[in-house]
């Protein structure tokens, strides 16, 4: 459901009808059935005043009204049953529409490219609140509009049958009132869209604030954050109040028009009865239609207002469903034909260049690098040197602008994204935990592995004792367990130890560990490096000094490569980095050089 780039952001209805229709289309048969039930129910309700007129006329002529009274009861029962059936049908349809919209958004979010997704709070707001707005717009409001239109047209026709002059007076007054109400609808739609946008911003700010709560409190910034959040709340309230005023003005104008109609009909109708141009039963029936006329008019106005909210929500939902997606190149497969004899090189970068933004300096600039099938390669350099960008390119979190990356001698475009990531494990810098149990977290990449593999991985990262101390061991809810930043990092490393991928990328995997635990991680990395490739990124050079090879990055380029001892002698930048951390060659373990 693509969103056209040329849509006017200030006009939430432009393109919104097409987007809203996309959610309704799969339910068109159910919608038509609901409309048919609405026709039956509206027909039954329209018959009531005419039946009442017949009762009054028979009373005037001293005739029996039993059969007509029974007909009136039957009409009431039929109308009640039809209304119930229609309401249930629309309720089920609405839930299906919301489910479909949420699933489509979640699929788009899960498949989106890294960097295309906005803040977690705003995305949560769109998945939860925006989908509820299209619920009524895509279901009951459509039927409500049709029912109201049918009831309105039917009432006007029968009113014309009763007295044409009274009909003309009624139409003029109602048209003026409803016309003034409809003029307010576009402005109402814009305000409702702005309210949703501010709620999304509120969700995004609140999400980032909660995530950084320790920093907020340590910086004594609670009041500042409260004020910033309060600004979004106040903006949403202010816009909401304006929307309420406009919506109330629209309904007030409609109600005023209906009250004026009643007064005019009583005056003009009474005059026509006095002149014998109209009998009393017909005037009563006409008044019943006038009283009933308020409901379809209000239904139409309300449905239009609801549709305006739905149109704005549809556009916001479309912004999520049209996020740039990760896609495989044509012809890509899980095991493309290519090099038949494994070489000593598992990954090759050939003139790889990456820009994070148009016209910006390259984050990676013509990188040429061969990574061996076994061993430990460390990436070091100052902040912004391109280390994490290089890992992102290897993981296909981003596409290279020029150059190529080869896996087992085969260009990346010939591999599916899933096939590449199956062969490359990753421990990210922030090391988030996954919702679920400890077992769920460790087995996240290989859910079919057994508990023995889990305990072995936890033992390797010095986490087995901690997990055994939890009330339910591996079945403990990780959200309820109090884990430090270092423990979360160890849990993330345990996750890749279970899967043992041919290539492992570690982005600051030991940044929050004490010396003892760091040693355990280093030992685990060494074990992996005996059978596969480990690529480490770290600002703590103590974790990479024992690497088989160190690559120094600076300004997106490879500045130098070699061992720790070689680089101390040959590269000033590396020597400066080491000196800044007060590390000398004397601190290097005997088996690391």
């Amino acid at each position: 459901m693509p969103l056209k780039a040329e849509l006017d952001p200030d006009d939430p209805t432009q393109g919104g009808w097409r987007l809203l229709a996309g959610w309704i289309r799969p339910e068109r048969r159910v919608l038509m059935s609901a409309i048919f039930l609405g026709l039956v129910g509206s027909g039954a309700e329209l018959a009531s005043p005419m039946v009442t007129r017949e009762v009054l006329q028979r009373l005037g002529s001293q005739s029996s009204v039993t059969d007509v009274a029974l007909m009136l009861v039957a009409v009431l029962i039929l109308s009640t049953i039809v209304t119930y059936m229609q309401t249930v049908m629309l309720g089920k349809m609405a839930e299906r529409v919301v489910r479909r919209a949420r699933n489509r958004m979640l699929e788009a979010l899960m498949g989106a490219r890294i960097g295309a997704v906005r803040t977690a709070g705003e995305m949560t707001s769109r998945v939860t609140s925006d989908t509820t707005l299209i619920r009524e717009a895509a279901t009951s409001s459509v039927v409500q509009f049709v029912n109201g239109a049918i009831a309105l047209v039917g009432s006007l026709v029968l009113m014309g049958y009763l007295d044409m002059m009274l009909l003309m007076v009624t139409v003029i007054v109602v048209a003026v009132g409803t016309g003034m109400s409809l003029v307010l609808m576009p402005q109402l739609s814009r305000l409702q869209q702005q309210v949703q946008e501010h709620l999304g911003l509120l969700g995004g700010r609140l999400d980032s604030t909660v995530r950084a709560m320790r920093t907020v409190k340590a910086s004594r910034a609670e009041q500042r954050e409260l004020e910033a959040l309060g600004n979004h709340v106040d903006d949403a309230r202010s816009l909401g109040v304006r929307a309420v005023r406009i919506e109330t003005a629209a309904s007030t104008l409609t109600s005023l028009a209906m009250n004026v109609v009643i007064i005019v009909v009583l005056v003009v109708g009474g005059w026509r009865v006095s002149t014998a141009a109209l009998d009393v039963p017909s005037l009563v029936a006409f008044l019943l239609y006038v009283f009933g006329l308020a409901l379809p008019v209000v239904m139409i106005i309300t449905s239009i207002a609801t549709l305006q909210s739905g149109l704005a929500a549809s556009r916001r939902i479309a912004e999520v469903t049209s996020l740039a997606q990760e896609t495989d190149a044509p012809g890509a497969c899980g095991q493309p034909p290519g090099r038949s004899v494994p070489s000593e090189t598992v990954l090759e970068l050939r003139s790889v260049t990456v820009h994070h933004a148009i016209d910006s300096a390259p984050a990676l600039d013509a990188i040429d690098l061969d990574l061996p099938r076994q061993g430990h390669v460390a990436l070091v350099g100052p902040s912004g040197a391109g280390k994490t960008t290089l890992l992102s390119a290897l993981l296909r979190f981003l596409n290279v602008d020029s150059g190529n990356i080869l896996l087992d001698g085969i260009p990346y475009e010939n591999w599916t994204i899933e096939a590449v990531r199956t062969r490359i494990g990753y421990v990210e810098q922030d090391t988030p935990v996954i919702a679920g149990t400890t077992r769920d977290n460790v087995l996240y990449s290989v859910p079919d592995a057994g508990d023995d593999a889990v305990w072995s991985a936890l033992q390797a990262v010095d986490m087995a004792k901690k997990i055994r101390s939890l009330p339910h061991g591996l079945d403990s809810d990780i959200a309820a367990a109090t884990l430090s930043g270092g423990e979360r990092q160890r849990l993330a490393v345990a996750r890749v130890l279970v899967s043992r991928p041919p290539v492992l990328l570690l982005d600051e995997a030991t940044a929050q560990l004490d010396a003892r635990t760091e040693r355990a991680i280093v030992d685990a990395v060494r074990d992996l490096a005996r059978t596969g490739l480990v690529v480490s990124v770290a600002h703590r050079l103590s974790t990479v000094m024992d690497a088989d090879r160190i690559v120094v990055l600076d300004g997106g380029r490879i500045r130098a490569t070699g061992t720790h001892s070689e680089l101390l002698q040959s590269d000033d930048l590396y020597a400066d980095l080491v000196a800044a951390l007060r590390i000398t060659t004397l601190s290097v373990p005997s088996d690391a050089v």
Side-chain angles (χ1 to χ4, degrees), residues 389-421:
T389 301
L390 179 56
L391 297 192
S392 297
L394 292 177
L395 284 161
R396 298 187 71 173
F397 290 159
L398 51 81
N399 291 328
V400 300
D401 297 317
S402 62
N404 207 348
I405 303 177
L406 292 84
L407 172 62
D408 287 334
I410 302 170
Y412 258 26
E413 57 264 25
N414 294 341
W415 294 91
T416 62
I417 293 175
E418 181 180 3
V420 170
R421 293 175 186 167

Side-chain angles (χ1 to χ4, degrees), residues 349-355 362-369 402-403 555-558:
L349 288 80
R350 297 288 176 260
S351 300
V352 171
T353 299
V354 173
H355 292 80
L364 295 178
D365 190 1
I367 295 292
D368 287 299
L369 182 64
S402 62
R557 289 178 172 271
I558 294 179

